[in-house]
């Protein structure tokens, strides 16, 4: 087995990066809560999705904080052009994941931040300001739900599919880039009828906390998944990339994550891409 | 058009019933929040669903409060035997709707209470303690989201199906009593791919607030829908019963509700039962 690149990062750097990550999440939460109270502007992007003044405001603020403290690190965000795309360390940002829900005050939206080292996740956070909930992790240092350390149990072999608590993206996410993935949604919803669909990072956080047994999410950009693999793996869960392909609007990933035995079953049902590499 | 039976209820009675309804919701919220902090017992019912000590505790407390103030009113609850089933006024209670989510601390669960007069809803509330959110209504007196009066706009005729914000129950709810309703779930998720599935009363509340354009919920007992029709109608929306049939565990309803033009389209897609009567 090849050595994990991340094992070479000094412990004090990991702790420093984690502290910085939590500062970023605090700052995003402060801006978002203030926007919820005071209102914000909503615009439609060319692809029909929403963007708000808050998405841009949060991303600008996080970029400024990263640039001040760690100026040689790259930054890749949903709303603004990449900074230092060749750097070994890359901060990946989704300032408001689930903007449509944010606009509607449906409280499962959140901020996603991950720091990757040569493509491998080092620290990550999903923060949901309206739920007062945060899941964060650092490589080798564990995953936490607010202050509680996460330790996922595996799914018992005797749990019937009808009792599995599965979270999914909507059918829209399955067919956004290619129609042929619609049947994957249909097969999942038939085989695992006890499903919930949130369309936001909340479903990713729940796979790390065990509030979902597993989550299947199709048609994501890298910032949607910037923290997920690390959160789930540090909690004791499994993460598998199902698809990794290029579209005119960028590279797209589909993934399954959560309790290991269930992730293996779902990857088998959905057909794991042999060449796929986790973001 | 026949006279609405409810028009004969004196205004001071409506106000008195609404005040009592809100007292019941306050009390349910207090018990549930305390249980979230201090823990509770979880058991499986014979049908595989959960029941907690909190479900029973809330229902007992609400029954005691109703019995003290309005002893001649009937009470029908999810967890305990009916009281005075022949009375004209019936309080219908679901102490914790979404018990599985309550157990998992997924915050969209809530308490549902409705008062019906000869089968017609008079006052109703959906209260979600973890979201600090309440939607309530009284016949002729409007619907409210916390302190804000609700006034639903209709859906514009030019909104494409892919942009409609639809909330659904899971496929489990569609096939719980008869397999032949599975295709209705499949048709809905294909035609309206921007859907969310919460499996709780939260999806009902969102149809009254406009956070969903409409909600389709299959396979409900009467307590699941005890408040929904009144909340949505008093907010300016439409409510239609799609199915109303008997099973060994009681009468079961399926319904669609939300912005009127969309409710008409969905009822047409799903096939409205001509003889169905709203609970």
């Amino acid at each position: 087995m090849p050595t994990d690149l991340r094992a070479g990062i000094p412990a004090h750097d990991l702790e420093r990066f984690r502290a910085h990550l939590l500062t970023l999440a605090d700052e995003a939460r402060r801006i978002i809560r203030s926007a919820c109270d005071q209102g914000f502007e909503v615009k439609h992007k060319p692809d029909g999705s929403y963007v708000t003044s808050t998405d841009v405001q949060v991303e600008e603020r996080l970029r400024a904080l990263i640039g001040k403290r760690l100026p040689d690190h790259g930054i890749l965000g949903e709303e603004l052009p990449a900074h230092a795309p060749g750097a070994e360390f890359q901060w990946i940002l989704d300032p408001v994941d689930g903007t449509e829900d944010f606009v509607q005050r449906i409280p499962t939206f959140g901020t996603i931040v991950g720091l990757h080292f040569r493509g491998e996740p080092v620290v990550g956070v999903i923060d949901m300001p309206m739920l007062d909930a945060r899941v964060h992790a650092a490589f080798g240092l564990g995953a936490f739900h607010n202050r509680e350390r996460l330790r996922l149990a595996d799914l018992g072999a005797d749990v019937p599919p009808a009792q599995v608590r599965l979270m999914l993206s909507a059918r829209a996410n399955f067919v956004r880039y290619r129609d042929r993935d619609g049947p994957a949604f249909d097969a999942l919803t038939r085989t695992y009828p006890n499903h919930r669909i949130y369309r936001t990072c909340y479903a990713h956080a729940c796979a790390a906390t065990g509030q979902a047994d597993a989550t299947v999410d199709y048609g994501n950009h890298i910032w949607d998944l910037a923290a997920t693999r690390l959160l789930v793996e540090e909690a004791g869960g499994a993460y598998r990339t199902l698809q990794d392909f290029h579209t005119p609007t960028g590279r797209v990933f589909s993934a399954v994550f959560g309790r290991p035995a269930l992730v293996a079953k779902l990857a088998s049902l959905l057909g794991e891409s042999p060449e796929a590499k986790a973001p």
Side-chain angles (χ1 to χ4, degrees), chain A:
Chain A
M1 201 168 159
T3 310
D4 194 316
L5 285 172
R6 298 172 291 182
I9 302 172
H12 73 269
D13 274 349
L14 282 172
E15 279 163 26
R16 188 163 68 98
F17 297 152
R18 179 169 65 180
H20 193 58
L21 176 87
L22 298 179
T23 301
L24 299 178
D26 287 345
E27 191 65 6
R29 187 183 278 210
R30 188 187 63 72
I31 296 170
I32 289 171
R33 284 193 170 166
S34 160
C36 285
D37 289 345
Q38 292 168 29
F40 48 83
E41 270 180 64
V42 182
K43 288 180 192 162
H44 285 272
K45 289 204 250 187
D47 67 356
S49 65
Y50 290 100
V51 64
T52 72
S53 50
T54 309
D55 296 68
V56 178
Q57 199 185 342
V58 171
E59 185 163 330
E60 283 174 346
R61 179 71 181 141
L62 300 193
R63 281 170 177 259
L65 288 169
I66 295 165
K68 192 171 169 189
R69 185 69 67 92
L70 301 157
D72 56 328
H73 284 197
I75 308 177
L76 180 65
E78 178 161 11
E79 307 302 342
L80 297 166
H83 164 76
E88 285 192 321
F89 282 102
Q90 291 288 336
W91 290 87
I92 304 174
L93 314 175
D94 191 348
V96 180
D97 178 75
T99 302
E100 188 177 306
D101 282 357
F102 173 58
V103 168
Q104 298 295 339
R105 307 296 205 274
I106 291 173
T108 59
F109 65 85
T111 300
I112 303 171
V113 182
L115 172 64
H116 290 202
F117 173 66
R118 299 192 195 175
E120 296 288 306
V122 171
V123 299
V125 65
I126 295 177
D127 187 77
M128 288 151 292
M130 302 297 289
L131 297 178
D132 197 21
R134 175 179 296 176
V135 180
H136 66 91
F139 176 68
L141 301 178
F144 293 83
H145 182 199
N146 297 337
R147 292 172 191 282
E148 177 201 355
R149 176 87 186 246
L150 293 170
R151 300 184 191 279
L152 273 185
D154 207 347
L155 190 74
D158 57 338
V159 177
Q163 281 177 29
V164 166
R165 291 175 294 103
L166 186 68
M167 292 189 186
L168 295 174
S169 40
R171 207 172 191 280
N173 299 59
F174 284 71
V175 299
R176 183 175 295 143
Y177 301 104
R178 37 198 220 186
D179 287 343
R180 70 177 163 91
D181 290 328
F185 177 88
D186 301 333
L188 279 169
T189 52
R190 280 173 205 188
T191 311
Y192 296 95
N194 181 19
H195 42 252
R196 286 156 181 80
I197 295 179
Y198 297 103
R199 304 214 67 187
T200 60
C201 56
Y202 183 63
H204 295 213
C206 285
T209 61
Q211 290 168 289
D213 291 322
T215 296
V216 177
D217 200 352
Y218 269 55
N220 292 283
H221 288 291
I222 193 166
W223 42 77
D224 299 312
L225 289 163
T228 304
R229 182 184 137 201
L230 188 72
L231 299 180
V232 171
E233 288 183 348
E234 286 291 330
Y239 179 101
R240 296 211 199 171
T241 301
L242 299 168
Q243 301 179 328
D244 171 358
F245 58 94
H246 289 270
T247 73
T249 60
R251 199 168 155 192
V252 168
F253 303 91
S254 303
V256 52
F257 35 90
R259 302 191 198 276
L262 181 58
V263 168
K265 270 191 201 169
L266 287 163
S268 163
L269 175 70
L270 295 165
E272 196 171 9
S273 163
E275 78 284 11
K277 189 172 168 290

